[in-house]
Amino acid sequence: AMNRVQLLGRVGQDPIMRQVEGKNPVTIFSLATNEMWRTGDGEVNQGALFPLCDLGDISQKTTWHRISVFRPGLRDVTYQYVRKGARIYVEGKIDYGEYTDKNNVRRQATTIIAGKI
């Protein structure tokens, strides 16, 4: 079994460090990845990267990822040095969690648990 994610993108905001009672602190930030494809002749070539000089219109989709860093050394370095707008590489695993929001509604939360940045 394998659960491995590799992302290359831009940091959405300066990381925050959150302390949950009785647990180790966690550094959290968002990462944006861009997907570009060419639309021409009525077809969409999703996920493929095309040189901008190609014919047709270029479409772009931005996906936001929530990154959590638990590993003590990496957590602290990320909090100190990673800044909004930085282009970084993140390697980790996907975690599908649930939480209860302030209106007491159960919500899904997909998080990337970073092992390498």
Side-chain angles (χ1 to χ4, degrees):
M2 183 189 274
N3 178 352
R4 187 164 159 225
V5 181
Q6 293 174 299
L7 299 170
L8 183 61
R10 289 203 185 273
V11 178
Q13 86 283 338
D14 291 351
I16 58 166
M17 197 180 286
R18 192 168 281 163
Q19 176 78 55
V20 183
E21 215 174 307
K23 292 184 180 173
N24 289 326
V26 56
T27 293
I28 299 164
F29 64 95
S30 60
L31 189 74
T33 54
N34 284 334
E35 220 178 322
M36 293 173 95
W37 65 91
R38 191 176 61 123
T39 53
D41 304 318
E43 63 183 64
V44 175
N45 300 303
Q46 195 101 21
L49 285 167
F50 289 90
L52 294 176
C53 59
D54 265 350
L55 297 171
D57 297 319
I58 303 296
S59 292
Q60 180 174 306
K61 180 185 178 223
T62 301
T63 303
W64 287 95
H65 312 270
R66 179 188 167 94
I67 315 292
S68 293
V69 192
F70 290 96
R71 255 180 46 203
L74 190 61
R75 172 193 70 209
D76 299 341
V77 166
T78 300
Y79 179 68
Q80 278 181 289
Y81 296 107
V82 170
R83 285 297 169 259
K84 177 181 178 172
R87 190 162 181 257
I88 64 168
Y89 169 81
V90 173
E91 199 172 289
K93 63 179 184 176
I94 286 188
D95 180 67
Y96 298 105
E98 275 192 345
Y99 68 98
T100 306
D101 71 12
K102 60 177 185 281
N103 300 319
N104 222 20
V105 177
R106 301 278 292 176
R107 299 208 179 266
Q108 294 289 121
T110 303
T111 304
I112 308 297
I113 311 292
K116 194 187 283 184
I117 294 179

